[in-house]
Amino acid sequence: MSKCIGKLFQIIYYTFILATLGASILSIIRKKNIVLSIISAVLTITIPIISIINSIGREKGVDEFEHLIAHLQQGSPWSIYAVTGFFYLVVWWAIFLIKRKNKEVSY
């Protein structure tokens, strides 16, 4: 049986992805940061799909994260896309939350 990342990590990961997709769609509907939000929505859909497809053939005994890191070290395009996309999503959340906080504070 192959190794798999923990259930708690999977719950956190998919909660992050679903929350990001929901917040992106909300931003698009409210016409806030439309371009950044569209990019965010596309990334939240494509990153998991690409990661799952490329993790199917991983070696026995290697979990998804180890597989991603190994391919990142080899310069695999899908792993670079996934890691860069995750960094973008984290930055997008920072921008989203800062703008939301500034909106609440402004008089």
Side-chain angles (χ1 to χ4, degrees):
M1 180 177 272
S2 66
K3 225 167 112 176
C4 188
I5 56 176
K7 294 287 183 193
L8 179 61
F9 182 80
Q10 288 179 340
I11 291 169
I12 293 169
Y13 172 76
Y14 287 110
T15 301
F16 174 77
I17 292 296
L18 290 174
T20 304
L21 183 60
S24 297
I25 292 170
L26 184 64
S27 292
I28 293 166
I29 291 170
R30 292 184 177 174
K31 299 183 187 329
K32 306 283 184 185
N33 297 325
I34 295 175
V35 174
L36 297 177
S37 298
I38 290 172
I39 294 169
S40 177
V42 169
L43 287 173
T44 57
I45 294 168
T46 59
I47 289 172
I49 292 170
I50 290 170
S51 296
I52 289 170
I53 289 171
N54 286 289
S55 290
I56 290 173
R58 70 180 189 269
E59 294 180 23
K60 206 172 197 177
V62 176
D63 67 28
E64 292 91 343
F65 184 71
E66 291 170 342
H67 183 71
L68 174 67
I69 297 302
H71 280 267
L72 186 62
Q73 291 172 339
Q74 296 172 5
S76 180
W78 75 268
S79 63
I80 294 170
Y81 177 78
V83 171
T84 305
F86 283 126
F87 282 129
Y88 177 87
L89 294 177
V90 170
V91 170
W92 182 85
W93 267 108
I95 293 168
F96 177 80
L97 294 173
I98 289 169
K99 287 193 175 200
R100 186 172 176 152
K101 183 178 180 181
N102 288 342
K103 181 181 174 186
E104 291 174 1
V105 173
S106 64
Y107 295 98

